[in-house]
Amino acid sequence: MKALKLAGVAIAAVIVVIALLLVIGVPSGFLTAQIQERVERETGYKLAINGGARIGLWPSLNITLNDVTLQHPADRDINRHFAAASIEADVTLASLWSGKPHITELVLIRPVANLPLRRERVRNANPPSKPATDKTAEAFSIEHISVTGGTIVLSNLRDRVERRIEALNADITIDSDRKVMLSGSARRDGHPLKFEIKATPPATSIERQNIPTEIRIDAPDLLPAPLTAKAEARLNGSVVMINSVTGALGDAAFNGWASVDLSSKPLVKLDLDFQKLAVATTRSPGSTAGQPWSSATIDVNGLNYIDLQVRMSAAELKIGDARFTPAAIDATLTSGVLKAQVSNVGAYEGNANGDLTLDVSTANPTYAMRADLAGVRALPLLQGLADFDRIDGKMQAKLSVRSSGTSQRAILSNMAGTAFVVFQDGAIKGLNVAQMIRSLTASTLSGWQESEEKATDLSQLSASFRIDKGQAQTTDLNLVGPLVKMTGAGTIDLGTKQIGFRVEPKLVMTTEGQGRASDPVGLGIPVMIAGPWGSPRIYPEMQGILDNPEAAYAKLKEMGKGLFGQNGAGLGAAIGNLLGGQPGAAGGQQGGAGGQAGTQPGSPLGGQLGETIGNLLQQGLSGLGQGQGQGGGRPSGQRSIPSRTSPAEAPTQAAPTEATPAEPAPPAPPSDTTAQQDSQPMNEVMRQLFNR
């Protein structure tokens, strides 16, 4: 009886122990040694299970490894290749008896994978000491893998560079037909990343066997649109060959091939052909005229850790709103030096050629760019690339610049090189240069006086620049249009967006554009353009006229007489041609057998307008406190400046019976009312000429 009681107690104790083991698991210190030995024997990596192992029996056989690390003994650049807070595996009991474990569920909690970044490629890099064999791959099978809270760290300890892909959550399923489905999400430098991969590996060895693969990647910070593609992947040692690639980047379909060599520093080769490729552009805070360039660091250091050989072509390429047809880009990236080249790119009825070199192998990256544009229509190109819609016409440009720096401001401030640009047979939209010149006689201008209704037709606008330390200097600025001509020189500070120019504007009394050298009539005073290039101050340089006002006035008076003829007799033809009317309507009727021009008394377009212009200019000088000019009366009662024409050269009056008035006495100084009357004829003419 006593023995029966002892047996009952023993059975109860066993039941309690079994129940506890089912709940809390079996302590399995002996199991860790077996697992560590198996991993090191098969892969050459050393596995450490720092938190111990546990075997659970309910609801199925479950093995848990805590605080796991994996390290290759020969690699000292990375402390731990792999680490995880815990690894849990559910295994069927039947598979254990057969010697081929079948894992129904494998869960990785907070895994961290460390991958090295190498600056130089290693030829014939050694593979892992004991790579996994086909026999090892067949030793077990997995149905489902789940990754929660994972991190991938890309680092180079010597360069103190580290990049992270965090918040990695992935789900991998492998069905009975060997179809692998991988999907997940992560964050790269704070930007979202989603991916999906489907593949069907062969039943035998995957070495040199085609693996049908489908991928989908959505990375808004890297790609302008989601990427989808199908390909035939093949593993050839450490090289992944990707053939028969077809896919789309958003709506842009493409085809081609690629390969990735993973033996040491990755080498990516890519050849893709697009039917239509659109690349979106975003403007930085420093892109507007009124804001300074950004000083934020442009991080291009990552180009040191990958080599590229890329060729991309497109029947139509859109960059922002600019369109190029066709386009081809060849690029190589080796040891941190990127070289890209475009040749014979179709651009708005013209073509473009150029190349770019970017060297990021040093702490201070250097840049070099060359571009050559010929016969390109300026408006759609500049509007599409830089949102600049103020100049239209056929454009030719040559650019060769170099710079260095890690920010927009540094790059622009360090720029050096040469540039030449010419626009022909076009217009400056939003600006009426001739009207601006006229406005300068009344006040200083602030800004470019932009208006959607204004425009300045141009026959040619050209300038060449020599750039040094961000200072672009020109001495041959030249603008030629139907009603205006301007030459000048000055400097553009690319780093601070400041401008300083001294220009010589002239009004051209012909609608033919070029005119002869004697045609233009100068303002008589150089004009300064200085300040921020988005809104500079524009004002006459008064020093020359204040030094010798009498000489300046005499010159202006002589120019006025040369333009309109003696006493303005030639103005009628000029105004008639400009306004599309008949010369007789503007300058008086033709009369007499000799065909001499007549005038209408009091008409602003009559033969005395040359004197009126001179009088107006003299009044402007008088307003500065200088001496007043002398003048004589006219039948209309307005002040006039005595003509240098001799009485014999005076034009014949239309009415021979009208007596020539006697020379009046010098008039009294003009009042405000008189000044307003003197300005009215000139205002009327200028308004008809330039308020187009």
Side-chain angles (χ1 to χ4, degrees), residues 391-473:
I391 297 183
D392 196 7
K394 288 292 185 180
M395 179 176 68
Q396 180 179 349
K398 292 182 180 294
L399 180 69
S400 179
V401 295
R402 61 188 182 279
S403 186
S404 63
T406 58
S407 67
Q408 285 184 348
R409 180 175 297 180
I411 294 172
L412 271 296
S413 299
N414 294 329
M415 188 169 291
T418 59
F420 168 78
V421 62
V422 57
F423 302 90
Q424 293 180 320
D425 301 327
I428 303 177
K429 296 181 177 295
L431 301 179
N432 188 324
V433 177
Q435 193 175 57
M436 291 173 64
I437 296 172
R438 178 192 175 197
S439 300
L440 287 173
T441 63
S443 63
T444 296
L445 303 181
S446 179
W448 294 107
Q449 312 299 302
E450 296 173 318
S451 174
E452 295 298 330
E453 294 77 18
K454 297 179 180 179
T456 298
D457 294 336
L458 60 87
S459 300
Q460 180 171 302
L461 171 61
S462 63
S464 62
F465 293 89
R466 183 172 296 276
I467 310 170
D468 184 38
K469 295 180 179 180
Q471 306 289 315
Q473 297 181 343

Side-chain angles (χ1 to χ4, degrees), residues 531-591:
W533 66 31
S535 181
R537 293 181 69 245
I538 307 173
Y539 56 91
E541 185 185 42
M542 301 301 294
Q543 180 179 0
I545 197 168
L546 293 178
D547 290 344
N548 193 345
E550 294 298 333
Y553 164 66
K555 179 180 179 181
L556 293 174
K557 176 182 175 183
E558 185 68 25
M559 292 172 67
K561 185 178 71 174
L563 170 65
F564 299 115
Q566 297 179 356
N567 293 327
L571 182 64
I575 298 300
N577 290 333
L578 286 170
L579 302 180
Q582 297 299 324
Q589 303 295 328
Q590 298 290 339

